[in-house]
Amino acid sequence: MNPRELIVRRVAKELNDGDVVNLGIGLPTLVANHVPKGMKVIFHSENGFVGLGPTPPQGEEDKDLVNAGGQYATVNPGGAFFDSAMSFALIRGGHVDVTVLGALEADENGNLANWMVPGKMVPGMGGAMDLTVGAKKVIVAMEHLAKGGAPKILKQCTLPLTAQKEVDMIITEMAVIRVTNEGLVLEEIAPEFSLEDVQKATEAILKISPNLKKIEVE
Amino acid sequence: MSKLTDINSIINRINNGAVLMIGGFLGVGTPENIIDALVAKGVKNLTIITNDTSFPGRGISKLVAAKQIKKLIVSHIGTNPETGRQMNAGEIEVELVPQGTLAERIRAGGSGLGGILTPTGVGTIVEEGKKILEIDGKKYLLELPLKADVAFLKAYMADEEGNLVYHASARNFNPIMAMAADYVVAEVEHFHTAGNIPPDEVMTTGILVNSVIFEDSKDAMKGGA
């Protein structure tokens, strides 16, 4: 299984029946394809609705209905549209159960950096800061290493933060890591990697869970 | 008296240096005909409060390309490389605001509030220069209200009273911007005589809307990424 596929399938296992979930742009968006069968998850789209559905077939697009990445989308029966103030009130107010975001860096204090690289790339934070602060559970879904092989899971983020001490879990193609008050706990490891491989690819020191398991996905 | 207005008489009100709110999220829910008219008039040094600068060739990006903007107050510029280029070249000032904070600052501006307290941005560079208040042991940033001279909205339908109905995700920032400007203009796709929108279905009351622009243009029908 390719690394990105493994990540999104493993993230999908974190969802619970009835959860309201916001998926970030890029890799996290693909989690929607792997919601466990028989489970109902309601997707929140921060541009102003709940009940985000699949991409419409060609020719059936509605020019006024897009996801938070600006791509044509659909709304499922039972969904609802609202304005941006309401959308973010839902986020900050604790009405969104889970958010899944990509990251440039994450660290052992639960900090996250994903919105700018000073002097290089300043796209803006969009809704990421509100989602990270407001969602009940924050999952970082990303490839374990940066392009070029540098670690992204650090003792301390070097880039400007998106939010402080808000990340609950980090899921990569190598590992499932839980952020705790005592630091990062390695809970699951991909079958093809050793503990040594994962620690070598991680700047922060990983504590090994007594219940360490192999990552299993459907 | 109907609020239906000619687009040119609206654009004539807009002068260099105006502060404008413009609805939309990545171009969806953005009044394209009004933007085209602003580009044609060539007003300069605008301050634009809006969520993002859309994709090249669409929505706010047309005002960026025509170099009519002095300052942007936005949450995201990543989908339009020209905005980043002008920012890095010092040609345009960009104040980046978390999207939920942007929405609440606009809401505060239109609701008579002196600001809002939000946990968003605490411990990040967003908190720089802002008052931090601790309430029940949790830190919040004091974020100040935003107001504009004119708000340009996009709605699906209006009636003569200026009552508005939005469609799908094109609602986004439009209803809150309708509250926060001295003069409010809505560009719509459908126009009805008074009383033809049931009060239960009105999303923005006509008391907030000064003028309605009904432009049956093919260009306004384009959408999506």
Side-chain angles (χ1 to χ4, degrees), chain B residues 114-131:
Chain B
I116 58 109
L117 296 176
T118 178
T120 304
V122 169
T124 77
I125 60 176
V126 168
E127 76 176 24
E128 284 172 13
K130 289 174 188 156
K131 216 174 248 177

Side-chain angles (χ1 to χ4, degrees), chain B residues 22-40:
Chain B
I22 303 180
F25 183 104
L26 292 174
V28 172
T30 299
E32 293 283 349
N33 287 299
I34 288 173
I35 291 193
D36 288 344
L38 287 169
V39 171

Side-chain angles (χ1 to χ4, degrees), chain B residues 43-63:
Chain B
V43 276
K44 302 272 188 208
N45 293 321
L46 301 172
T47 293
I48 308 272
I49 301 164
T50 189
N51 182 58
D52 56 76
T53 52
S54 190
F55 299 101
R58 215 179 144 195
I60 314 295
S61 74
K62 297 176 197 170
L63 291 166

